[in-house]
């Protein structure tokens, strides 16, 4: 007997999203459920882990196991879960503030640790949930936040470059305005063996209405993608305008998973203390 | 110099060995403790070191007895000076009396006046001269031999211990150490001690408190650990890493404590009992994560090995000053478990209990060990196996009605683990309704606050919440590592026929109000003893309304150990 194939909507939990109408995160949710359906993932064998932010609300909207943790720590929780439960498909989701600011250290170490998981960052170059402050990917002259009325004056952060430098083996950029390409990218990211990083340009209609222009600005990359050469990947990432989509870099590195075997028992171990 | 008038008459014997960097004081102490253990004694070795990362002056303090040894005494029977360089750094940690003996090498110069001032006897043995006559001879091994004889330890036991402790350094080192030790042992002096050696018992363990926490973690079922190194907790992690692996578990070295706490929460969400170990600075970083574990009802255990604080404080020395952060550190109304081991041996049970309580009650358990327990070596009776019927309530066959945070009679709701069909839910740090759906409604908040409170408040913790001994109208309340010194004082008083009750709290939160009030109801004098500056337990007990107004506080900060004599004085003399 074959189990009827699940459709994208079967992966939705039915809980009503708190997002503003028009928020880019809706398209990410929809692309992710399509990718899951495409891959035929068994719902209970998937865990979606997140931190805090509008984007980090995503797990509750998906009908798999979910973990909505604290701000910036999604990758840490996901790494512990994957270490303890290598049988699960672990997908991590969050925002640019969550992943690159408060959670920046975990991002570096998740890239170099290379555990088998996909990390989706919905990058809107702003803190949506706290009502519009600058994030590490905000350009230095964006002055619409009351907290940085003259702009941050600090160069923005290029997540793909950082991921490459930190040792990630899969780096992609997608766009919420190109849902079918995004679905393809997410399928590849989940299938990639190792840590797969996907930066999704996912506009915030409320605090970054200027991102409506992304429709025109974002474009598929003209480079021959993906490359497995880190030097070439660095050139593509650094030379680009940050708006080119596609799977930029895909290279297989050894996947890290803690060693464990069952070749002793506690009674034997405790004997070491006997005089 | 009279060699004959002073015999140790107490039921234990205390030796301090000091020396400058590279002199091998700690190795000497380790072998001496092992030799006493081989003779059947129980014992304790603490160490004190200067601030250097490696080398530097150090002192090893060894105390042994036929009975359990859970603290250092008021003064040392024997002080062994491998040399006297930088001795002023330790002098206040090494109280002597006119009953003490100082073993010293004439080649190291005169015994410093500040050590002689109490009228201790001096016995000279030419450590250096003897050692220099041997190929590869080390003076600390000569001193070891001389010390073992003064302590009345058997030469065979000493030889066995030299081989056991130095065995991994190669045959040459062992041979030369044995020669040197025999020279020192056979030097013209005689034992000073009247303790009869019990003979080697089969079931004694040699273990540190940090290792004992590791054993307790494993006994409790811990199979995942994530942690970031920190003094004085790292040995828990170093001991666990290879052993977890052999038991089908694993240890992950995290990038920081923010990661380690969240990693164990993730692993525990996956169904694997999980733990981390840290010290004050790390605990401070973990606090937000503790709240997440608590609200998402994901069981985790944190062993906090306390050191002098706040901030970086005194990383290598002990203090019981993290009680406040452990009890009050979380934001929001956040009831959780706080426990403290009462001795090195008890680190096994208390950690096991903490892990299993956390699992059973689906909450956070903090275990407050400290440097003096964690990094001291003890010879103790093997900790008995305790089967505790405490385990995580898991929903293996969830139906459509399944609610992750359902209200149940004991307020613990069955957890569905990833991989289980039909039990999908999203664990959340956001307040939620019984299904787990985020909610900011007053009714849901109140319901879940009550659930999280009452699953702890209404649970019967049984007899293990405290060790209660003695009777009478006077009482000492203490916790954690201070228990050793308090028990010693109680032992003196009971031996004199005077009465005292001691209550050593193993479970600090939730506080067992009714049990404490019952015990304290007719007390004329209550003294609360702890090793910190503020009297954290004293104020906590007052705030919780269990202490009589006349209760007194003896709070002494680290790094000096709390000595029994100090407690006796605070109690008002010999009773
Ligand atoms: C420790 C902590 N600090 C600050 C906050 C407040 N906070 C919540 S979400 C957020 C930023 C979210 O931005 P981002 O991750 O970019 O997600 P978005 O809302 O834009 O999707 C902040 C600062 C918090 N929840 N926790
Ligand atoms: S504030 Fe911005 S990011 Fe948040 S839901 Fe609204 S549109 Fe989306």
């Amino acid at each position: 007997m074959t189990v009827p194939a699940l459709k994208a909507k079967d992966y939705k939990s039915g809980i009503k999203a708190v997002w503003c109408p028009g928020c880019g995160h809706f398209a990410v949710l929809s692309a992710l459920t399509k990718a899951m359906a495409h891959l035929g993932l068994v719902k209970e064998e998937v865990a979606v882990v997140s931190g805090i932010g509008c984007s980090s609300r995503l797990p509750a909207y998906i009908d798999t196991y979910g973990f909505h943790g604290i701000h910036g720590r999604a990758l840490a929780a996901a790494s512990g879960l994957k270490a303890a439960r290598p049988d699960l498909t672990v997908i991590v989701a969050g925002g640019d503030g969550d992943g690159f600011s408060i959670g920046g250290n975990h991002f570096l170490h998740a890239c170099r640790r290379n555990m088998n998981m996909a990390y989706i960052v919905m990058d809107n170059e702003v803190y949506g949930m706290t009502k519009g402050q600058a994030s590490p990917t905000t350009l230095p002259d964006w002055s619409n936040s009351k907290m940085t009325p003259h702009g941050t004056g600090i160069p923005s952060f290029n997540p793909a470059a950082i991921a490459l430098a930190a040792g990630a083996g899969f780096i992609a950029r997608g766009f919420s305005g190109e849902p079918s390409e995004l679905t393809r990218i997410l399928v590849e990211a989940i299938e990639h063996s190792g840590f797969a990083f996907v930066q999704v340009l996912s506009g915030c209609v409320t605090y970054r209405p200027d991102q409506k222009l992304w429709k025109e600005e974002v474009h598929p990359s003209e480079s021959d993608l993906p490359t497995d050469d880190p030097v070439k990947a660095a050139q593509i990432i650094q030379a680009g305008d940050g708006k080119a989509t596609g799977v930029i870099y895909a290279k297989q590195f050894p996947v890290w998973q803690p060693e464990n075997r069952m070749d002793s028992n506690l009674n034997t171990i405790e004997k070491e203390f006997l005089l | 110099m009279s060699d004959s008038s002073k015999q140790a008459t107490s039921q234990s014997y205390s030796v301090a060995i000091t020396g400058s960097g590279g002199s091998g004081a700690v190795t000497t102490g380790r072998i001496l403790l092992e030799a006493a253990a081989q003779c059947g004694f129980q014992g304790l070795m603490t160490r004190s070191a200067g601030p250097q990362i490696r080398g530097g002056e150090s002192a090893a303090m060894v105390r042994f007895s036929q009975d359990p040894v859970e603290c250092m005494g008021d003064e040392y029977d024997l002080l062994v000076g491998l040399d006297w360089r930088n001795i002023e750094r330790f002098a206040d940690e090494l109280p002597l009396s006119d009953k003490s003996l100082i073993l010293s090498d004439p080649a190291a110069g005169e015994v410093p006046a500040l050590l002689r001032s109490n009228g201790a006897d001096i016995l000279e043995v030419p450590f250096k001269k003897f050692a220099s006559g041997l190929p590869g001879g080390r003076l600390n091994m000569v001193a070891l031999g001389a010390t073992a004889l003064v302590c009345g330890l058997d030469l065979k036991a000493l030889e066995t211990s030299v081989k056991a402790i130095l065995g991994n350094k190669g045959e040459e080192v062992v041979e030369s150490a044995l020669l040197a030790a025999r020279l020192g042992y056979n030097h013209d002096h005689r034992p000073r001690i009247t303790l009869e050696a019990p003979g080697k018992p089969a079931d004694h363990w040699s273990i540190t408190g940090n290792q004992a926490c590791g054993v307790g973690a494993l006994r409790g079922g811990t199979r995942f650990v994530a942690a970031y190194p920190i003094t004085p907790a790292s040995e828990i992690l170093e001991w666990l890493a290879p052993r977890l692996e052999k038991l089908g578990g694993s240890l992950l070295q995290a990038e920081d404590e923010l990661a380690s706490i969240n990693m164990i929460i993730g692993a525990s969400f996956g169904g694997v009992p999980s733990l981390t170990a840290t010290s004050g600075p790390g605990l401070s970083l973990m606090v937000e994560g503790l709240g997440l574990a608590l609200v998402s009802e994901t069981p985790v255990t944190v062993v906090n090995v306390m050191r002098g604080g706040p901030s970086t404080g005194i990383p290598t020395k002990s203090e019981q000053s993290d009680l406040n952060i452990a009890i009050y550190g979380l934001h929001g109304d956040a009831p959780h478990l706080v426990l403290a081991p009462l001795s090195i041996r008890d680190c096994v049970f208390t950690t096991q209990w903490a892990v299993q309580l956390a699992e059973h009650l689906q909450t956070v358990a903090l275990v407050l060990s400290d440097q003096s327990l964690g990094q001291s070596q003890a010879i103790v009776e093997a900790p008995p196996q305790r089967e505790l019927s405490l385990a995580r309530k898991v929903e293996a066959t969830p139906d459509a009605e399944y609610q992750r945070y359902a209200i149940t009679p004991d307020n613990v709701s069955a957890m569905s683990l990833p991989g289980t069909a039909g039990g999908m839910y999203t664990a959340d740090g956001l307040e939620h309704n019984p299904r787990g759906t985020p909610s900011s409604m007053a009714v849901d908040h109140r319901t879940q606050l009550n659930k999280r409170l009452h699953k702890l408040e209404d649970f019967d913790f049984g007899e293990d919440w405290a060790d209660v001994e003695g009777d009478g109208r006077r009482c000492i309340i203490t916790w954690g590592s201070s228990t050793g010194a308090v028990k010693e004082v109680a032992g003196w008083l009971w031996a004199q026929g005077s009465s005292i009750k001691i209550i050593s709290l193993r479970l600090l939160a939730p506080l067992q109000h009714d049990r404490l009030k019952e015990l304290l109801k007719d007390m004329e004098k209550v003294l609360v003893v702890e090793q910190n500056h503020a009297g954290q337990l004293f104020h906590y007990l007052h705030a919780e309304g269990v202490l009589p107004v006349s209760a007194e506080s003896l709070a002494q900060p680290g790094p000096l150990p709390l000595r029994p004599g100090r407690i006796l004085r605070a109690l008002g003399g010999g009773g």
Side-chain angles (χ1 to χ4, degrees):
Chain A
M1 193 185 88
T2 54
V3 185
L6 295 175
K7 302 209 171 56
K9 69 168 173 27
D10 299 322
Y11 290 91
K12 292 202 174 160
S13 70
I15 292 177
K16 192 175 172 304
V18 294
W19 297 323
C20 312
C23 173
H25 304 344
F26 282 107
V28 181
L29 171 63
S30 151
L32 179 59
T33 53
K34 282 188 187 132
M36 293 167 95
H38 178 89
L39 291 165
L41 298 182
V42 179
K43 292 202 275 185
E44 62 267 21
E45 290 167 5
V46 178
V48 184
V49 181
S50 69
I52 294 292
C54 299
S55 37
S56 294
R57 287 293 193 118
L58 183 129
Y61 310 143
I62 297 201
D63 192 29
T64 63
Y65 282 89
F67 192 90
H68 182 207
I70 49 178
H71 195 29
R73 316 294 161 217
L75 284 170
S79 302
L81 176 60
K82 185 70 188 177
R85 289 290 307 273
D87 56 308
L88 300 174
T89 298
V90 175
I91 298 168
V92 192
D96 42 305
D98 189 75
F100 307 144
S101 189
I102 193 167
N105 194 31
H106 310 307
F107 179 50
L108 298 182
H109 293 281
C111 288
R112 61 178 271 267
R113 197 174 280 122
N114 199 35
M115 299 183 80
N116 193 4
M117 61 178 72
Y119 181 36
I120 306 164
V121 176
M122 290 161 246
D123 187 354
N124 51 16
E125 299 176 4
V126 78
Y127 290 177
M129 179 136 276
T130 45
K131 305 199 186 301
Q133 299 82 12
S135 94
T137 51
T138 307
L139 293 177
D141 58 355
W142 181 75
S143 56
N144 286 8
S145 162
K146 287 183 199 150
M147 225 158 132
T148 49
H150 315 295
T152 63
I154 302 169
S156 63
F157 175 113
N158 185 339
I162 302 285
L164 183 70
F170 182 103
I171 300 167
R173 191 180 292 122
F175 176 39
S176 60
E178 284 292 347
S180 40
E181 182 202 31
L182 180 58
T183 304
R184 280 199 304 278
I185 290 174
L186 293 179
V187 166
E188 283 185 50
I190 296 168
E191 277 186 317
H192 175 78
S193 170
F195 185 76
F197 169 58
V198 185
Q199 177 195 13
V200 185
L201 302 170
S202 176
C204 171
V205 288
T206 305
Y207 298 106
R208 295 299 305 262
D210 51 313
Q211 288 169 346
K212 282 199 192 86
L213 286 178
W214 279 1
K215 260 286 178 222
E216 282 94 69
E217 292 169 3
V218 177
H219 57 91
S221 173
E222 281 118 42
S223 310
D224 188 14
L225 295 185
T227 174
D228 64 358
D229 175 0
V231 178
K232 233 172 123 191
Q235 276 165 350
I236 296 169
I237 292 166
Q238 299 289 7
D241 57 0
K243 299 282 190 299
T245 57
V247 176
I248 301 164
Y249 179 61
K251 188 174 167 70
Q252 200 53 57
F253 292 113
V255 175
W256 188 82
Q257 185 65 33
E259 301 255 335
N260 60 49
R261 42 185 209 276
M262 258 303 209
D263 58 2
S264 190
N265 59 56
L266 194 46
N267 276 336
T268 309
I269 286 174
E270 290 187 2
K271 289 210 170 74
E272 73 184 77
F273 297 112
L274 273 174
L275 284 172
Chain B
M1 222 167 288
S2 87
D3 193 15
S4 58
S5 59
K6 290 164 188 174
Q7 289 270 350
T9 49
S10 61
Q11 294 307 299
S12 72
Y13 200 72
S14 297
V15 183
I17 303 160
T18 70
S20 56
S23 63
V26 172
T27 310
T28 312
R30 275 290 279 122
I31 302 174
L32 186 71
L33 179 72
E34 178 80 15
Q38 291 293 339
C39 296
F41 290 109
Q42 299 188 56
L44 179 66
M45 182 182 112
T46 63
R47 56 182 88 174
S48 183
Q52 296 86 343
I53 302 302
R54 250 206 119 89
E57 63 283 358
S58 57
M61 283 77 91
V62 176
R63 187 180 188 203
F64 56 90
S65 166
Q66 292 163 327
D67 301 316
V69 180
E70 295 180 354
C71 68
M72 281 295 151
D74 284 293
E75 51 215 28
Y76 287 90
D77 300 301
L78 176 63
L79 173 68
V80 183
L82 301 176
D83 59 58
W84 299 119
R85 265 169 277 154
N86 295 324
I87 185 69
E88 36 334 310
R89 294 231 188 145
F90 293 119
D92 61 351
E93 294 182 43
L94 304 172
L96 300 175
S97 75
D98 63 350
K99 296 191 192 62
S100 309
L101 179 69
I102 298 175
L103 196 53
S104 90
D105 182 352
E110 213 189 333
V111 176
L114 88 170
L115 296 174
R116 278 183 284 128
S117 59
N118 281 328
D121 263 0
I122 294 174
L123 174 65
E124 294 192 323
V125 177
F127 304 149
K128 195 165 184 176
K129 195 167 130 207
F130 281 2
S132 60
L134 296 170
R138 289 182 53 95
L139 72 82
N140 67 323
M141 290 298 113
V142 179
L144 170 69
T147 306
L149 182 88
V150 170
C151 295
L153 300 176
D154 177 55
L155 182 60
K156 275 250 140 26
L158 180 64
E159 291 175 345
T160 309
S161 309
V162 168
K163 288 179 202 155
I165 306 274
L166 298 180
N168 61 0
K169 302 216 155 130
E171 230 164 89
E172 257 171 58
V173 173
V174 172
E175 274 316 308
S176 110
L178 287 173
L179 283 175
R182 281 184 208 121
L183 265 185
Y185 194 90
N186 293 324
H187 178 62
D188 180 27
H189 59 289
R190 52 170 199 81
R192 297 293 188 106
I193 179 176
T194 53
L195 292 184
E196 203 175 302
K200 186 181 166 106
D203 69 336
H204 281 183
W205 277 20
S206 175
I207 192 167
T208 67
N210 278 344
Q211 291 168 335
C213 283
V215 172
L218 295 180
R219 283 191 181 180
T222 302
R223 291 296 180 270
F224 181 75
V225 172
Y228 190 74
I230 188 167
T231 304
S234 298
E235 296 88 358
I236 298 182
L237 310 164
E238 290 164 347
W239 186 83
L240 277 170
R243 289 160 184 87
L244 270 167
E245 211 175 287
K246 290 183 187 167
L247 297 175
S250 56
L251 180 141
L252 199 168
Q253 184 180 324
E255 54 269 32
D256 55 34
E257 288 87 351
L258 303 164
S260 47
I261 185 68
N262 284 281
M263 283 174 173
I264 66 168
I265 295 170
S268 178
F269 168 74
V272 177
S274 299
L275 168 146
T276 186
T278 188
S279 190
L283 178 65
S284 304
L285 287 184
M286 289 180 189
V287 168
E288 189 195 13
L290 298 178
L292 169 64
L294 195 148
V295 169
S296 63
E297 302 198 49
T298 313
V300 292
T301 302
V302 179
V303 179
N304 181 51
V305 186
M306 295 180 285
R307 62 193 220 183
S311 191
T312 312
I314 311 180
T316 54
K317 308 225 173 177
S318 209
E319 194 167 75
Q320 293 182 294
S321 47
D322 294 349
L323 182 64
N324 279 351
I325 184 179
I327 291 180
Y328 304 115
L330 281 70
H331 68 270
D333 292 312
H336 59 281
L337 303 166
V338 180
L339 300 93
L342 305 180
S343 66
I344 291 175
R345 184 169 179 259
D346 187 49
C347 286
V348 174
F349 171 70
T350 298
T351 310
Q352 175 191 353
W353 195 36
V355 171
Q356 292 194 248
L357 281 174
E359 286 287 315
H360 186 83
L361 296 167
Q362 296 182 20
T363 190
V364 169
L366 300 181
V367 178
L368 298 179
S369 177
D370 59 34
Q371 186 276 335
S372 75
L373 296 173
Q375 294 188 323
S376 300
Q377 187 88 28
I379 310 296
V380 293
E381 285 174 15
Q385 291 285 347
R386 292 271 309 263
E387 290 297 327
L388 306 172
S389 55
L390 297 170
R392 194 184 301 196
K393 203 196 278 184
V394 170
E395 180 56 75
T397 52
D399 57 23
E401 307 302 305
Y402 173 69
Q403 296 191 323
R404 168 64 186 98
Y405 302 102
I407 304 303
T408 62
D410 63 0
N411 287 295
V412 179
S413 23
M415 193 166 172
S416 157
L417 303 179
T420 311
M424 273 100 71
Y425 76 103
T426 294
D428 211 316
L430 281 171
E431 191 58 281
H432 40 254
N433 65 19
R435 249 194 192 286
T437 311
S439 165
S440 52
M441 279 162 59
V443 56
D444 288 325
H445 188 39
R446 182 177 287 275
T447 304
Q448 296 295 322
L449 282 170
N450 279 332
K451 173 185 198 293
R452 294 189 293 260
L453 176 69
H454 287 295
K455 69 178 177 179
L456 302 187
E457 292 281 321
D458 303 348
F459 182 73
D460 181 0
F461 290 90
E463 296 295 307
D464 293 311
W465 68 282
D467 278 6
V468 181
E469 293 165 79
D471 46 37
R473 317 280 302 260
R474 289 188 307 174
C475 170
I476 299 179
I477 306 178
T478 191
W479 68 286
S481 64
S482 292
T483 302
V486 168
K487 282 193 178 169
E488 179 138 339
V489 173
W492 294 343
L493 295 172
W494 295 329
Q496 287 170 16
S498 42
S499 64
I500 186 150
K501 187 187 281 290
I502 59 173
I503 304 172
S504 314
L505 297 173
R506 186 180 282 107
L507 179 70
L508 293 146
L511 194 67
Q512 301 297 291
H513 292 90
D514 295 347
R515 290 171 156 135
L516 264 173
K517 277 192 175 152
E518 178 63 28
L519 287 171
L520 296 178
K521 108 179 148 227
D522 296 319
M523 287 297 158
E524 280 162 5
K525 184 174 180 77
V526 175
L527 179 67
V528 180
V529 175
E530 59 198 305
Q531 196 193 19
N532 56 53
H533 190 242
Q536 297 185 9
L537 178 66
F538 178 75
H539 290 296
Y540 172 52
L541 295 178
H542 255 314
E544 295 285 325
V546 295
L547 286 185
V549 281
S550 62
E552 289 167 39
S553 164
L554 170 59
Q556 175 195 292
L560 292 185
L562 198 51
R563 294 190 194 278
R566 176 80 188 81
I567 300 169
L568 188 65
R569 284 201 302 281
L571 207 55

